[in-house]
Amino acid sequence: MQNTSDFRARTVDFKLGERNIFLHLLTQCNLACRHCYINPSQHGTNILPKATAIDWLRLFARPDCSSNLVLLGGEPTLHPDLAEIIRAAKALRYAVTVDSNGFLFHNLLERLRPDELDFLSFSLDGPDAAVNDTIRGEGVFAVCTKNLRQAVALGFRTSLICTVSALNIKHLHRMPALLAELGVRRFFIQVIGLRGKSAAADSLQVEPKHWLEAVPETARQAAHLGIHVTYPKVFLEEGEAFTCAGLAADNYFIFPNGRVYRCPLCEDYPMHSLCIENGQAVRQRGLNEDRFFSLSIPEGCVMNKLLQPDNIDYLPDGSPRHRISCCMLKQEMPPLSLQEVFKCF
């Protein structure tokens, strides 16, 4: 039997030229999760027509190589043309993931073959209904797990996202067993963002000590069960250099009103780098997010310092207790067979 101490996390460094597109097809949702980051006043309320969505995907596609695409909402399966948009994206050489709350509207599993989608990702924030439904709504756990089982049985590649907050962190250690029972082999642990509803809810935030105690250990337990785990790095190690994804990678967060952000921390504010106008991604003038990416500060992430200053603790000498990494920097903990491969690098 493998010991969980054998499992090690590694930082997933930004890859030069890697392109990640996060397209919100709509902002409507059938749920009202307590930590929802969607802000209709900033992101719009319209549903992208199929033709517009495909035009925008063409705009950000690279004909010479593949790009990663995550289709989001609100709830993306509420879009009646989602299956056709997925097929169009695959024709444009995107690797496509759909992030869903699990309700899978418009019979999505019947309208797609498993080989037409790279990943179908489900959101679940607790190991049972008592925990999950307090956050995401009554009856959500039952519907989500039922549809997840069906997707696995049909052969879809599935993953599960858990957003960690003060409401569920003490139950996080119970999630790996649930994933193993459901047949899910990829687990994304997500830190609650200070955006949307959670920006005004201090009670949802997780203390650094609790995060560092709970998340790596849960990741080890999941890897022990053969599950590949990814989670935000959040804090930099002593002497570790800060790198901003806005400079080191091509990440685009696109909303139905045409706003395009490079940094997800900025999404509650009209400081987007680009805007889609007349079929083109137009750089915005003024003091916008991309003006700050190159700044170097002791706290690490300058956007965290500017937009979420209360999220940083300081020592008596004025230095930050924890340096905050770029919010896009991840750590991963694969099953042991892949861990052996990493030792070669």
Side-chain angles (χ1 to χ4, degrees):
M1 180 68 69
Q2 298 164 353
N3 191 307
T4 56
S5 63
D6 295 333
F7 295 89
R8 298 284 185 268
R10 74 161 190 168
T11 298
V12 184
D13 293 324
F14 299 123
K15 298 177 182 176
L16 185 64
E18 183 179 18
R19 199 171 184 83
N20 301 297
I21 313 299
F22 302 83
L23 176 59
H24 296 75
L25 296 171
L26 69 172
T27 56
Q28 290 93 323
C29 188
N30 59 303
L31 303 182
C33 300
R34 293 174 65 175
H35 52 59
C36 181
Y37 68 87
I38 291 297
N39 186 336
S41 67
Q42 298 294 329
H43 304 155
T45 58
N46 57 307
I47 298 177
L48 284 182
K50 178 176 70 173
T52 301
I54 294 172
D55 284 344
W56 288 10
L57 289 175
R58 265 193 212 100
L59 184 61
F60 286 90
R62 277 186 172 172
D64 56 332
C65 64
S66 62
S67 301
N68 299 313
L69 171 67
V70 181
L71 294 172
L72 305 143
E75 171 49 36
T77 68
L78 284 170
H79 198 296
D81 300 315
L82 179 59
E84 289 84 355
I85 292 170
I86 291 169
R87 292 188 185 99
K90 294 297 292 182
L92 292 168
R93 300 193 63 189
Y94 283 104
V96 184
T97 295
V98 172
D99 277 4
S100 173
N101 61 29
F103 277 71
L104 304 184
F105 295 97
H106 299 294
N107 301 313
L108 182 67
L109 297 182
E110 298 175 11
R111 298 173 63 193
L112 277 177
R113 298 191 316 270
D115 63 350
E116 292 180 305
L117 184 63
D118 293 273
F119 274 97
L120 180 56
S121 194
F122 292 75
S123 293
L124 205 63
D125 293 331
D128 54 35
V131 179
N132 180 82
D133 293 2
T134 300
I135 300 168
R136 304 187 70 85
E138 186 176 354
V140 172
F141 183 87
V143 173
C144 183
T145 52
K146 174 179 177 292
N147 287 335
L148 203 164
R149 291 180 196 277
Q150 183 182 4
V152 170
L154 290 171
F156 284 88
R157 290 179 291 274
T158 59
S159 58
L160 192 142
I161 300 171
C162 178
T163 300
V164 176
S165 71
L167 298 173
N168 63 2
I169 190 167
K170 67 181 181 181
H171 302 282
L172 184 64
H173 69 282
R174 297 166 53 203
M175 292 297 290
L178 173 65
L179 268 70
E181 191 266 326
L182 291 170
V184 177
R185 289 293 174 259
R186 291 185 69 89
F187 185 26
F188 294 90
I189 302 173
Q190 184 169 280
V191 65
I192 189 167
L194 292 177
R195 296 177 288 151
K197 290 181 181 179
S198 60
D202 293 339
S203 61
L204 297 182
Q205 302 308 307
V206 176
E207 293 292 329
K209 179 176 181 290
H210 294 158
W211 174 272
L212 294 170
E213 288 174 348
V215 173
E217 180 56 31
T218 297
R220 280 189 284 271
Q221 295 292 343
H224 181 70
L225 294 173
I227 299 166
H228 191 290
V229 190
T230 304
Y231 57 95
K233 188 170 178 68
V234 182
F235 305 110
L236 296 170
E237 304 292 337
E238 185 174 353
E240 189 174 6
F242 174 82
T243 303
C244 178
L247 299 175
D250 291 332
N251 295 308
Y252 299 95
F253 302 85
I254 308 170
F255 289 91
N257 59 2
R259 287 187 183 181
V260 182
Y261 292 85
R262 302 295 308 282
C263 173
L265 297 183
C266 300
E267 291 172 0
D268 273 345
Y269 306 94
M271 52 191 300
H272 44 294
S273 299
L274 305 163
C275 191
I276 302 176
E277 300 172 1
N278 300 317
Q280 298 296 319
V282 179
R283 184 174 180 181
Q284 300 300 285
R285 297 181 178 180
L287 197 60
N288 294 319
E289 55 179 353
D290 52 352
R291 297 292 188 93
F292 297 98
F293 294 158
S294 61
L295 297 181
S296 178
I297 61 172
E299 290 85 349
C301 175
V302 67
M303 303 313 298
N304 195 293
K305 171 64 175 176
L306 288 174
L307 301 176
Q308 306 171 1
D310 294 337
N311 203 32
I312 302 174
D313 293 330
Y314 291 88
L315 297 170
D317 65 0
S319 62
R321 187 178 302 276
H322 300 282
R323 294 171 61 239
I324 308 297
S325 78
C326 174
C327 63
M328 297 297 293
L329 192 64
K330 308 297 183 188
Q331 289 185 290
E332 67 174 355
M333 197 175 295
L336 196 60
S337 58
L338 290 179
Q339 295 262 338
E340 294 298 325
V341 174
F342 289 164
K343 292 179 181 178
C344 300
F345 293 91

